[in-house]
Amino acid sequence: MNAPIVIDSVAALRAQVRDWRQAGLKVAMVPTMGALHDGHISLVRIALEQAERCLVSIFVNPTQFAPTEDLDKYPRQLARDLDQLRGAGAHLAFTPGVSEMYPSGFASKISVGGPSRGLETDFRPSFFDGVATVVAKLFLQAAPDCAVFGEKDYQQLCVVRQLCRDLDLPVEIIGAPTVRDTHGLAMSSRNAYLGEAELDIARKLNLVLRRTAAALSAGADEATATEDAAKALVSAGFQKVDYVAARASVTLGPWQRGHDGRLLAATWLGTTRLIDNVEIPSA
Ligand code: PAF
């Protein structure tokens, strides 16, 4: 496979995408913060099924990190990321610096309502403003036909869909299934923070969620089932559970039995915060 073209300026990105469009090629985008793993590579593969050209942005977006969060220690490994993108057949890596995305004097933000309410926002109040602002900028800069986001960040996927609908951004959003290791642990760049003993505990998250989702669809009381799940996570070794919650799968409003649902959770292992979610089968 050829190495991807690496571009770090918005002007050069626009020129390249314009050339592709003039040649009649469809363009798919995969927005990332780098530290690529098999989950990201699966998004690239899906992008390549949808379009003739795949562009991957790699930008650790400071506006979605709170001052207390892991912006400084977030893994950065561009050379390795580019190698993986070459293996996957991506055509372009957009790697802007902070000053390209947020030049001095930058003073705007996009705030999405609806699905951004609750869950992550209860614990990371400005997270989705940062995500929505950077995703809107990336879409306006790259003007892709479609973009692929992982279901692992399920609330983010719903927020991005809402953003595109509300702002008439002409980008088709494709949700991709979560990639898991053989024990069910969802791939995440933050797994790199975990030692072997912590990984053993982390792998219990998906088990507890699947068990709880099955109990809910079999008729278990929602409050009891989600409380029991939080207790089971603490017993398994998680230090803290931010939430375990059942929600309607599109709006993320209250879940109603018999309708499509999603069970979402955020937990802490030491200083590492892990999120995951599973479908609540409707029968
Ligand atoms: O999911 C991520 O990696 C980020 O939130 C995103 C969508 C690339 C925006 O910075």
Side-chain angles (χ1 to χ4, degrees):
M1 301 270 192
N2 291 332
I5 310 164
V6 181
I7 282 179
D8 62 9
S9 80
V10 175
L13 174 69
R14 287 207 165 110
Q16 179 59 70
V17 174
R18 196 172 48 237
D19 285 355
W20 284 340
R21 278 199 192 297
Q22 277 167 1
L25 301 171
K26 187 172 171 186
V27 181
M29 179 166 197
V30 179
T32 81
M33 298 206 299
L36 302 182
H37 49 65
D38 288 353
H40 294 112
I41 298 309
S42 79
L43 305 184
V44 171
R45 295 220 174 88
I46 291 170
L48 287 167
E49 285 163 15
Q50 300 293 322
E52 288 86 21
R53 291 291 177 269
C54 168
L55 85 87
V56 178
S57 59
I58 298 179
F59 177 62
V60 183
N61 174 35
T63 64
Q64 68 191 73
F65 288 78
T68 50
E69 291 180 347
D70 56 344
L71 174 62
D72 291 338
K73 76 165 187 171
Y74 197 86
R76 289 163 173 86
Q77 43 187 50
L78 184 59
R80 195 168 166 273
D81 288 348
L82 294 176
D83 260 5
Q84 294 197 72
L85 291 182
R86 186 184 52 204
H91 299 90
L92 191 157
F94 178 48
T95 60
V98 174
S99 60
E100 184 71 6
M101 294 299 280
Y102 299 113
S104 144
F106 184 90
S108 299
K109 79 172 172 205
I110 295 179
S111 217
V112 177
S116 76
R117 300 215 179 89
L119 303 170
E120 287 301 289
T121 301
D122 287 342
F123 298 88
R124 309 175 75 193
S126 50
F127 173 66
F128 285 121
D129 289 355
V131 169
T133 304
V134 82
V135 168
K137 280 175 68 72
L138 288 166
F139 285 176
L140 291 166
Q141 292 162 350
D145 296 287
C146 60
V148 190
F149 289 81
E151 286 183 351
K152 148 87 174 30
D153 298 296
Y154 193 81
Q155 191 177 10
Q156 169 173 281
L157 172 62
C158 298
V159 169
V160 169
R161 287 193 203 281
Q162 181 83 39
L163 167 78
C164 290
R165 261 199 312 275
D166 290 354
L167 300 190
D168 303 311
L169 297 176
V171 182
E172 182 196 353
I173 303 302
I174 297 161
T178 303
V179 175
R180 301 181 180 280
D181 75 4
T182 47
H183 305 271
L185 175 65
M187 297 282 173
S188 163
S189 304
R190 289 189 168 100
N191 293 350
Y193 301 151
L194 304 175
E196 271 311 312
E198 289 176 317
L199 280 170
D200 278 346
I201 300 170
R203 290 181 175 124
K204 310 258 170 52
L205 174 56
N206 183 252
L207 288 179
V208 170
L209 287 184
R210 273 189 295 153
R211 199 172 64 208
T212 307
L216 285 170
S217 57
D221 174 69
E222 184 182 331
T224 312
T226 51
E227 269 165 39
D228 287 352
K231 284 185 199 145
L233 290 169
V234 171
S235 305
F238 289 92
Q239 275 80 37
K240 195 157 70 105
V241 177
D242 282 350
Y243 58 83
V244 178
R247 291 282 187 268
S249 50
V250 174
T251 60
L252 296 187
W255 170 66
Q256 288 178 309
R257 201 175 302 283
H259 291 77
D260 287 347
R262 209 85 195 177
L263 183 69
L264 304 100
T267 56
W268 287 88
L269 258 180
T271 54
T272 305
R273 189 168 185 274
L274 298 178
I275 60 171
D276 199 356
N277 67 88
V278 297
E279 192 186 352
I280 305 172
S282 57

